[in-house]
Amino acid sequence: KLSSEDRLFCSDCLSGQYSNAEKTLCVNCPYGRYAPTALVDNCLDCGAGSFTDNTTSGTKCTNWYAK
């Protein structure tokens, strides 16, 4: 949940985001990590051979195939 002292309510973080340690910001998952659902406090690691990209916005991992 996103909150700050001057707010009267909290907003949910979206899928692809997590709440920072202070619970004051929703932060996008970093490259190689994802949050498939809203309301998470951390992002999950993508498995070996997969990654996050701009098209998935940190909501899922995509398999990487060498061409």
Side-chain angles (χ1 to χ4, degrees):
K1 299 261 182 190
L2 172 66
S3 65
S4 69
E5 292 179 15
D6 60 344
R7 290 188 185 202
L8 299 175
F9 63 92
C10 296
S11 298
D12 296 335
C13 292
L14 304 173
S15 57
Q17 299 179 328
Y18 67 99
S19 57
N20 67 346
E22 295 82 21
K23 307 286 188 213
T24 57
L25 294 172
C26 288
V27 181
N28 291 333
C29 292
Y31 184 77
R33 296 177 60 89
Y34 73 107
T37 60
L39 306 174
V40 297
D41 289 331
N42 55 27
C43 297
L44 306 171
D45 287 324
C46 289
S50 62
F51 64 97
T52 55
D53 63 18
N54 292 337
T55 62
T56 61
S57 303
T59 59
K60 69 177 185 175
C61 295
T62 302
N63 288 333
W64 178 79
Y65 298 101
K67 294 183 179 184

